[in-house]
Amino acid sequence: MPHPVRYGPAEADTVGAGEAGPGSWDVGPSRTGALAVGRETLRLRGADGAALDLPLDDVAGVVLVRSGVAWVADSVDVLLDSGAGIECRSPEAGAIMDAFTGAGVHVLKS
């Protein structure tokens, strides 16, 4: 089940800027896309045609961070074994967390 997300909210001058691979999905500007959690793979697709498929074995855990602001969606932070992370904001953050839980990924809600 794909979920709408905005990814890449980190500032362009943060650590990892210009990095290739999963870390590049956390660097600005913020972009629109979709996230789907399968049995073995996390799939991210950008509206610009970008695509990332990650084995769930590479995901160390996932954290739900509540925004605390009514008009700002909650954030799902995907933490990777490599030390990289991908922040995804979505109005469906709870459903995304449920999908990760169902796939056996360690989750934490703040």
Side-chain angles (χ1 to χ4, degrees):
M1 171 69 120
H3 302 280
V5 294
R6 290 198 63 78
Y7 63 93
E11 297 298 323
D13 62 352
T14 59
V15 174
E19 176 182 334
S24 68
W25 286 70
D26 198 45
V27 179
S30 181
R31 298 172 301 280
T32 302
L35 175 151
V37 180
R39 283 188 220 161
E40 298 178 3
T41 307
L42 165 63
R43 291 182 174 83
L44 286 163
R45 300 294 184 263
D48 61 357
L52 178 66
D53 293 332
L54 283 173
L56 289 180
D57 289 342
D58 292 349
V59 178
V62 184
V63 179
L64 174 66
V65 180
R66 304 273 184 203
S67 75
V69 179
W71 59 87
V72 177
D74 292 340
S75 175
V76 175
D77 290 357
V78 181
L79 309 174
L80 306 177
D81 288 333
S82 67
I86 304 169
E87 180 182 353
C88 298
R89 291 198 175 274
S90 177
E92 297 181 10
I96 293 170
M97 293 298 286
D98 290 344
F100 275 112
T101 299
V105 175
H106 180 73
V107 301
L108 178 65
K109 298 179 181 181
S110 66

